Amino acid sequence: MGNIPTGRTITLLGVNHKTTPVEIRECLALRGGYEEALTDLKAIAGEVEHYLLSTCNRVELLFVSNGDALLEERLAGFLFGDAILPEDRQRYSYRYVGAEAVNHLFQVASSLDSLVVGEAQILGQIKEAYRHAAAHQCTGPLLNKLLHKSFSVAKRVRSETGIGSAAVSISSAAVGLAKKIFGRLEEKQVLLIGAGEMAELAAEHLIGQGIGGVMVANRTVERAVELAGRFHGRACSLDDLITQLREVDIVISSTGAAGLILREEEVRPLMRSRRNRPLFFIDIAVPRDLDPALNDIDNVFLYDIDDLSQVVEGNRAEREKEAVTARQIIDEETHKFCRWQEGLAVTPTIAALRRKADDICRRELARTLPKLELNEGDRQRIERLAQSIASKMLYDPLQFLKSPSCRQGDTAKIDMVRTVFGLENNGVSDDDDTSVDPA
């Protein structure tokens, strides 16, 4: 990582699902992928650090500048194009500067700004966008540090809160209930009745839990074969439904049938041949596919769409509680990052001051010690004495440099320190060592 220039401002421009209608967002979404967009953006931004994120719910541009209003206007023109006219930008878009931009990025990475709070997909999307920006050399030392920090903040939020632990979709809630009944889902056999989108989503979640196999039963067998093929499963017609129930553990039904397709009197006799192995039914169809009386059979568990909705709503409320703690973490991390960035203004001067004191000590000791007849112990005591005197002499000027006004870039005060200690002629520039922690 190269030296980090001081006095730069972090700005974020964007739109998301909260501020902007989908008909505008879809105009802003990248159509040609990141490569084409970043190439065009770099032609405008030049050497200015920048990063672009585009998902179905947001498009955001993050950049570092010295406050050049004309450059920002050109970048906004690129981002919003004809989709949002300048006079409508305040209505449909947002602009965050400094600590607000940092805080917003941390919230997005931690999924607090997502349509479904706590979902994990957004962090992967940010990492992908960053990989493209870094590959095109669009980012530099400041954005590299900021984006890496956003990854660690998201990880901290996820590990210290329950923001992502509770299911908030019907399909994921169904999987959660199945795990409560069976414990582990490995090797469990699943029967999907119906081959629609809900069945597909549920199957995707179950596959992720390592289930043993998938059977798809559908009125149109061709569609059943197609869906089963996606999950390396098998297909059958609805006429074979009763036969298949002898072998499976979990049944998810989501047909468009007008009435019940499976009744209590058809299932009860099967339980004897199953030796009462538990059978878990999830009915996510409206109108319902499965007879509510199934719940009266021993070792049969039936949940319908209302049961799942209650689970989802309960989990969503739980996530909102966790979001309060998550926001406290993000505020804390934002403060730490901004404090670090502020310190960049004084870090070169602190480093130069310490370096000059060390050089003086080293030179004077080298000149004096050879003239004294000292044993090794006395020699080390004098070296420590010199270093101690230098440290105490530097204490007050270092505290002055670490004061809020200097940290926030009061160049007059910083220049005064450099002049008083003769640092101007010491070959030290503002781009010198930035590794010193000014805190």
Side-chain angles (χ1 to χ4, degrees), residues 6 14 50 112 114 123 181 239 260 299 307 318 331 374:
T6 60
H50 57 279
L112 292 188
S114 295
L123 184 58
I181 291 173
D239 296 335
L260 298 178
N299 290 317
D307 297 324
E318 196 59 36
D331 289 346
L374 300 174

Side-chain angles (χ1 to χ4, degrees), residues 339-348 350 354 398-399 401-403 407 434-439:
R339 186 170 170 78
W340 170 83
Q341 190 187 1
E342 287 173 4
L344 294 176
V346 297
T347 298
I350 291 175
R354 287 175 173 163
L398 289 181
Q399 291 304 306
L401 285 170
K402 293 174 183 177
S403 65
R407 292 177 66 95
T434 59
S435 63
V436 177
D437 183 1

Side-chain angles (χ1 to χ4, degrees), residues 195 216 218 220-230 233-236:
V216 181
N218 194 50
T220 307
V221 178
E222 289 78 8
R223 173 59 185 148
V225 170
E226 181 184 340
L227 182 58
R230 281 200 53 201
R234 295 173 296 147
C236 68

Side-chain angles (χ1 to χ4, degrees), residues 88-316:
D88 291 329
R89 285 178 192 165
Q90 191 170 3
R91 179 181 175 193
Y92 290 125
S93 66
Y94 43 83
R95 173 180 181 270
Y96 299 119
V97 179
E100 285 189 339
V102 173
N103 191 276
H104 179 80
L105 176 66
F106 289 173
Q107 290 206 43
V108 172
S110 303
S111 189
L112 292 188
D113 200 52
S114 295
L115 183 62
V116 178
V117 172
E119 55 90 9
Q121 188 181 15
I122 184 63
L123 184 58
Q125 291 170 323
I126 291 177
K127 289 182 176 178
E128 183 189 3
Y130 173 58
R131 278 195 295 273
H132 284 287
H136 280 73
Q137 299 181 327
C138 299
T139 58
L142 189 52
L143 282 194
N144 286 338
K145 187 169 184 68
L146 176 59
L147 285 159
H148 278 282
K149 186 66 180 174
S150 74
F151 305 154
S152 65
V153 170
K155 184 177 180 182
R156 185 185 166 197
V157 166
R158 222 157 184 84
S159 62
E160 295 185 17
T161 73
I163 195 77
S165 61
V168 290
S169 69
I170 294 295
S171 51
S172 57
V175 172
L177 287 174
K179 290 174 76 173
K180 284 185 178 178
I181 291 173
F182 294 108
R184 301 168 64 86
L185 298 183
E186 285 88 347
E187 304 306 322
K188 298 300 178 191
Q189 299 295 317
V190 176
L191 171 62
L192 303 179
I193 307 176
E197 183 180 0
M198 292 291 279
E200 192 170 345
L201 285 172
E204 286 176 351
H205 278 85
L206 287 165
I207 291 291
Q209 300 296 320
I211 58 170
V214 175
M215 170 71 74
V216 181
N218 194 50
R219 193 173 303 280
T220 307
V221 178
E222 289 78 8
R223 173 59 185 148
V225 170
E226 181 184 340
L227 182 58
R230 281 200 53 201
F231 302 114
H232 306 291
R234 295 173 296 147
C236 68
S237 72
L238 287 180
D239 296 335
D240 296 328
L241 198 55
I242 302 299
T243 303
Q244 297 303 328
L245 286 178
R246 300 179 193 278
E247 308 299 330
V248 300
D249 304 288
I250 300 169
V251 180
I252 300 177
S253 191
S254 62
T255 76
L260 298 178
I261 62 171
L262 198 59
R263 297 180 180 278
E264 181 268 349
E265 57 267 27
E266 295 172 298
V267 175
R268 186 178 290 276
L270 294 174
M271 296 308 290
R272 186 174 303 166
S273 62
R274 289 176 56 87
R275 298 184 178 178
N276 284 321
R277 281 187 297 117
L279 187 52
F280 177 45
F281 288 97
I282 304 172
D283 188 353
I284 49 181
V286 179
R288 289 177 292 181
D289 287 337
L290 308 179
D291 186 351
L294 289 175
N295 254 334
D296 298 334
I297 306 173
D298 289 342
N299 290 317
V300 171
F301 305 89
L302 169 64
Y303 290 86
D304 63 24
I305 190 72
D306 283 351
D307 297 324
L308 294 175
S309 296
Q310 287 177 14
V311 172
V312 167
E313 286 305 314
N315 289 346
R316 186 171 285 131

